[in-house]
Amino acid sequence: MLFRSALVRRIDLSVDEKEHMPPRGKPQLADDDLTLIEWWVGAGSPRDRRIATLDIPSSVQVILEGRLQGAGADAPPDRVGMLAMAALIAGKLGVLVRPLSPDGPWLDVNARPVGKGFGDKELEQLSPIAPAIEWLDLGGTSVTDAGLAALEPMRKLQRLHLDELRITDDGLARLSHLTQLEYLNLRGTQVTDKGMPTLRTLPRLRSLY
């Protein structure tokens, strides 16, 4: 228990501290990860008990439900249903939506043609097709830091354009769940060097503008 308590203490240190874990320059844990570790250690570090038998606070319950639901997310969405819903949303919002393959459900959504007429409320309306979106272009729209919360269910997102948005370092924190993200465009935003630690938590990010 002393070792595990020391582990939590080191994780919770500032990234600039020598004893901080993971080491500086390595992918860092998200806030949700730290919450789960602290709860697990506080519960006695159980290894052979089912989650249902543990006393789980509501804050941890929300995280666990999201993780457990995501465990079955490898099965692709239904192509026919997803394309039909995408057509309805495209017609309503004026965004461009196209399938990325001839036989899969994965989608490329482009809101750039709508310009400033596409904002946080419109981004929320993409939720029915969120699991199928792999490419998303929000460049030049009026999406804000707060609106980026709508990206959370887009777990398959690989390419994301946020150029020319009025987003800041606070908005980048809402990208921490996008573990499949490979390309990110932040040109013309208010993001500074202080937001870079968040990007280090994205394991597949290879192209950053």
Side-chain angles (χ1 to χ4, degrees):
M1 174 63 87
L2 288 177
F3 171 77
R4 295 191 180 96
S5 297
L7 175 63
V8 172
R9 178 183 63 79
R10 293 182 66 178
I11 292 173
D12 207 26
L13 288 173
S14 167
V15 70
D16 294 323
E17 295 283 346
K18 184 177 180 180
E19 291 190 347
H20 173 79
M21 291 293 292
R24 186 174 183 177
K26 299 291 185 181
Q28 300 297 303
L29 298 177
D31 290 343
D32 285 355
D33 296 323
L34 180 56
T35 298
L36 289 177
I37 291 173
E38 289 180 334
W39 164 71
W40 180 70
V41 170
S45 309
R47 297 185 179 185
D48 55 359
R49 295 176 60 187
R50 295 181 179 273
I51 291 177
T53 67
L54 300 174
D55 183 18
I56 306 176
S58 58
S59 58
V60 172
Q61 183 72 33
V62 170
I63 299 172
L64 288 175
E65 288 177 354
R67 298 291 177 90
L68 292 175
Q69 290 172 1
D74 289 337
D78 174 67
R79 173 181 168 82
V80 174
M82 200 57 70
L83 291 182
M85 181 60 70
L88 291 174
I89 291 175
K92 179 181 180 180
L93 300 180
V95 298
L96 302 178
V97 182
R98 67 180 181 90
L100 285 170
S101 68
D103 55 359
W106 312 115
L107 302 173
D108 172 13
V109 178
N110 186 354
R112 192 179 295 268
V114 188
K116 299 302 181 182
F118 188 97
D120 295 349
K121 292 182 178 179
E122 288 73 24
L123 182 56
E124 289 179 359
Q125 293 179 53
L126 297 180
S127 61
I129 61 173
I133 298 177
E134 285 193 342
W135 294 7
L136 179 62
D137 190 342
L138 300 175
T141 65
S142 56
V143 170
T144 69
D145 285 345
L148 294 180
L151 301 183
E152 197 276 335
M154 300 183 188
R155 300 303 179 99
K156 296 296 184 179
L157 199 60
Q158 297 177 6
R159 295 175 61 90
L160 178 61
H161 290 260
L162 300 177
D163 50 292
E164 304 300 334
L165 297 187
R166 295 178 62 84
I167 61 170
T168 68
D169 298 329
D170 291 336
L172 289 189
R174 301 184 184 275
L175 308 183
S176 61
H177 293 88
L178 303 181
T179 58
Q180 304 300 308
L181 196 65
E182 300 175 356
Y183 171 102
L184 178 61
N185 192 327
L186 297 172
R187 180 179 59 82
T189 66
Q190 297 178 23
V191 171
T192 71
D193 291 346
K194 293 180 180 180
M196 294 303 103
T198 298
L199 300 182
R200 294 194 186 102
T201 67
L202 303 177
R204 296 196 176 186
L205 188 63
R206 295 294 180 268
S207 300
L208 174 65
Y209 293 86

